[in-house]
Amino acid sequence: MSNRPSWDEYFIEITRLVSNRATCIKRRVGAVIVKDNRILATGYNGAPRGLDHCDAAGCLRQQMKVPSGERHELCRGLHAEQNAIIQAAVHGVNINGATMYCTHHPCAICVKMIINAGIRRLVYTGKYPDELAGQLIKQSGLELVNVAETFRFPQRDGSLKTSATVFTKEENK
């Protein structure tokens, strides 16, 4: 059996790496947009270009005690999914028909952007408390795949042993 990861495992691992650039003090999120097994754009959550990062300026949501998954407009930062879509647009990259990989389930605002950008498949790992996002996905026909956390353990020979990865294709009913 090979230690070579599947395409979904490969891109989820890259998405986790991208999330390390996030400047949000509450949650590190990464997103990668892929088409034909090629990375088109990446994004992570953080303040807009040229503005102080949240890890330096403080968290408005924390100061106002806004619960996770609510009042998304009360945040200085952009979400990873938004930044990935914006990066594709800025560089003139066509993402219609692409797959987006995310470290977390997107919020309703990001789901609306994903749908309108023409992304057809969404692969994610972590949960996010936003019921409207799930409803929008079900109505849209967007293919949704939940990937259980994957753990890789270094072996003495330098190879990596991978724990079982569970992929669950969610039904859009």
Side-chain angles (χ1 to χ4, degrees):
M1 181 165 172
S2 171
N3 282 329
R4 188 173 185 199
S6 70
W7 285 112
D8 281 343
E9 290 172 321
Y10 175 71
F11 290 121
I12 280 292
E13 287 293 325
I14 291 170
T15 304
R16 288 184 184 123
L17 182 62
V18 169
S19 75
N20 289 329
R21 293 276 307 153
T23 59
C24 175
I25 59 176
K26 292 180 76 177
R27 179 178 287 133
R28 292 187 177 274
V29 181
V32 175
I33 301 174
V34 173
K35 193 173 187 178
D36 299 326
N37 294 329
R38 301 290 181 259
I39 295 173
L40 303 178
T42 66
Y44 51 87
N45 56 332
R49 183 185 331 200
L51 301 184
D52 289 339
H53 294 296
C54 300
D55 55 5
C59 178
L60 179 63
R61 294 177 61 80
Q62 236 176 20
Q63 293 164 7
M64 296 178 73
K65 298 182 182 5
V66 178
S68 185
E70 297 178 15
R71 305 286 316 269
H72 302 291
E73 75 280 6
L74 295 177
C75 180
R76 295 174 31 80
L78 289 150
H79 289 187
E81 303 90 335
Q82 295 167 349
N83 272 325
I85 291 168
I86 290 167
Q87 285 305 307
V90 164
H91 296 288
V93 177
N94 179 0
I95 58 175
N96 190 45
T99 295
M100 180 179 276
Y101 292 86
C102 300
T103 56
H104 293 76
H105 190 289
C107 72
I109 293 170
C110 290
V111 166
K112 291 184 276 187
M113 292 179 69
I114 289 166
I115 293 166
N116 276 1
I119 293 170
R120 300 284 180 245
R121 185 168 180 260
L122 176 62
V123 180
Y124 72 99
T125 56
K127 297 180 189 269
Y128 189 74
D130 190 330
E131 288 182 36
L132 178 58
Q135 293 169 9
L136 294 169
I137 288 170
K138 286 180 182 177
Q139 291 175 19
S140 72
L142 180 67
E143 182 184 342
L144 188 63
V145 179
N146 183 358
V147 179
E149 293 292 329
T150 304
F151 299 97
R152 298 187 184 278
F153 304 98
Q155 302 300 295
R156 289 179 189 219
D157 65 2
S159 66
L160 295 174
K161 180 179 178 184
T162 305
S163 67
T165 303
V166 179
F167 295 89
T168 307
K169 184 175 177 182
E170 296 184 14
E171 297 298 323
N172 290 334
K173 294 180 182 176

